[in-house]
Structures are given as C-alpha cells and as structure tokens.
C-alpha cells in the first residue's frame, strides 16, 4: 500500500507540474460536514478538501475528515468508559463534467489511510500518563469512490455534495462492539471558495 501511495503522489506531482498551463486557474478549498459510520453506528464528520484543476475536466487534491463517537460510550473490563475517534486523509483524482453554467458532476477516486483509536474519556485521562490513554490505535489503508455534484454560487464560491463509499481492509479490534471494522458509506456537504 505504501508503494501505491508513493506512486500516486509522484504521478499527481508530475501532472501538477506539467498539466495546467492556464494562469487563471486557482486552488479551491472546501470546508463542511457530513455523516458516515464507525463501528456500524452513524457519526458526524468534519471535512476539508484542497483541490486543483489539473485540466478542464480533471481535478486533483487532498482531502481529510475527522469523526468521533460522542454519542456513544464503550466500557472496558473494569467498567471504565472510553470512546472511539477516527480520521482519514487521502489524495484523489476527480474527473468532472459541466452540465450547465451552474452544475458540475464528477467521480472522485482516492487512496489514503484511516486512523482509528480507542481512548479513555477525559475524566480518566487526568490520572494517566499520556501513553496509557490509548487502548488501541489502528492505521488502515483505505480507498474511496464518490459521486460529486457542485453548484456554483458565483465564480469564486460554490456548494458541493459528495456521496460515496470508503473501503478499508477488515480489521479486528477487541475494543469495538462489532470486533471487526469495515468500510462505510459517507455523505458530505461543503462550501468551496477559490483563492
């Protein structure tokens, strides 16, 4: 997986350097929120994306997301409460098509890593050394595919909707309710602005 990620990064860097000669194009930042699943339960995510128009029909970029099981409490063998926290980052390519002046549809393909950690709640952490706060930390290779729809509000501002699936290798941990962590569907809405 590391080899694939390095090859993708080098490919994106090469495309970035030689692909776009139009000086009017610019980076676009998207910030927003969405919903996904962690341990087969819905969670709310905070999302950020940096995108660059490599060609008129293709964007490349990086994306990140973080989510937390605030609504859900796990218990260990001594009845101590802990929670699951997760986040992921990815690099992506996004072919897209202009439907009309306002709407743009695309497909986003990404690869990256997802971090899942199980950590004692804040009350218990005060009495622990920081290395004892964590029950388990997992780094899991990930691939994503998503359908995207973007509505242009004005030339520099837009709203974006992504619906997709995050595929991860099935990973076992004794700290999750379902023991095996698997991929999950996700949806997010983001506000985008160019700079």
């Amino acid at each position: 997986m590391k080899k694939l990620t390095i090859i993708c990064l080098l490919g994106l860097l090469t495309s970035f350097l030689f692909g776009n000669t139009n000086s009017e194009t610019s980076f676009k930042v998207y910030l927003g929120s969405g919903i996904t699943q962690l341990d087969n339960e819905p969670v709310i995510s905070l999302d950020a994306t940096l995108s660059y128009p490599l060609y008129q029909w293709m964007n490349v970029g990086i994306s990140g997301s973080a989510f937390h099981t605030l609504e859900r409490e796990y218990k260990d063998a001594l009845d101590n409460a802990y929670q699951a926290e997760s986040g992921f980052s990815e690099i992506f390519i996004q072919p897209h098509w202009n439907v009309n002046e306002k709407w743009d549809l695309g497909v986003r393909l990404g690869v990256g890593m997802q971090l899942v950690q199980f950590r004692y709640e804040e009350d218990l952490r005060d009495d622990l050394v920081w290395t004892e706060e964590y029950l388990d930390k997992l780094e899991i290779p990930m691939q994503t595919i998503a359908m995207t729809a973007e509505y242009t509000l004005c030339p520099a501002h837009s709203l974006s909707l992504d619906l997709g699936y995050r595929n991860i290798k099935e990973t076992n941990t004794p700290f999750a309710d379902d023991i095996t962590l698997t991929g999950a569907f996700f949806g997010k809405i983001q506000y985008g602005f160019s700079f």
Side-chain angles (χ1 to χ4, degrees):
M1 186 64 193
K2 288 180 184 178
K3 190 180 204 180
L4 176 64
T5 303
I6 290 170
I7 290 169
C8 290
L9 279 172
L10 290 174
L12 286 175
L13 180 61
T14 304
S15 297
F16 177 74
L17 292 174
F18 299 106
N20 196 342
T21 57
N22 184 356
S23 61
E24 294 180 11
T25 59
S26 61
F27 286 94
K28 199 160 197 181
V29 173
Y30 298 88
L31 300 172
S33 184
I35 189 164
T36 187
Q37 286 185 325
L38 179 61
D39 197 10
N40 289 328
E41 291 289 330
V43 291
I44 293 178
S45 64
L46 297 176
D47 307 287
T49 302
L50 177 65
S51 179
Y52 181 77
L54 192 60
Y55 302 105
Q56 279 189 329
W57 56 272
M58 169 100 60
N59 294 341
V60 296
I62 57 174
S63 179
S65 185
F67 34 97
H68 194 290
T69 57
L70 292 174
E71 300 294 323
R72 183 167 166 195
E73 192 176 88
Y74 298 90
K75 298 279 188 179
D76 67 7
L78 300 174
D79 208 36
N80 293 322
Y82 64 94
Q83 292 180 333
E85 303 166 340
S86 185
F88 67 84
S89 60
E90 66 176 341
I91 55 174
F92 66 83
I93 59 170
Q94 180 183 357
H96 61 92
W97 304 270
N98 293 98
V99 177
N100 58 35
E101 290 181 7
K102 293 286 189 180
W103 284 99
D104 195 71
L105 299 178
V107 176
R108 180 177 293 171
L109 303 168
V111 295
M113 293 293 284
Q114 180 171 351
L115 170 71
V116 180
Q117 61 187 23
F118 295 89
R119 185 162 81 149
Y120 284 113
E121 286 193 344
E122 194 171 348
D123 302 347
L124 297 169
R125 281 184 259 167
D126 295 337
D127 301 327
L128 299 173
V129 179
W130 70 272
T131 54
E132 298 172 341
E133 291 179 13
Y134 299 97
L135 295 153
D136 199 3
K137 278 188 181 183
L138 306 165
E139 291 182 5
I140 309 165
M142 171 195 80
Q143 305 85 34
T144 60
I145 183 167
M147 298 296 295
T148 64
E150 186 167 352
Y151 180 76
T152 303
L153 300 170
C154 67
H157 302 273
S158 63
L159 288 176
S160 171
L161 174 67
D162 295 6
L163 298 171
Y165 184 76
R166 185 176 64 257
N167 181 49
I168 63 171
K169 178 183 163 191
E170 287 192 0
T171 306
N172 294 332
T173 176
F175 301 103
D177 284 346
D178 286 345
I179 298 179
T180 302
L181 299 175
T182 58
F185 289 96
F186 66 88
K188 58 186 175 182
I189 188 165
Q190 295 180 307
Y191 166 74
F193 56 93
S194 299
F195 66 95

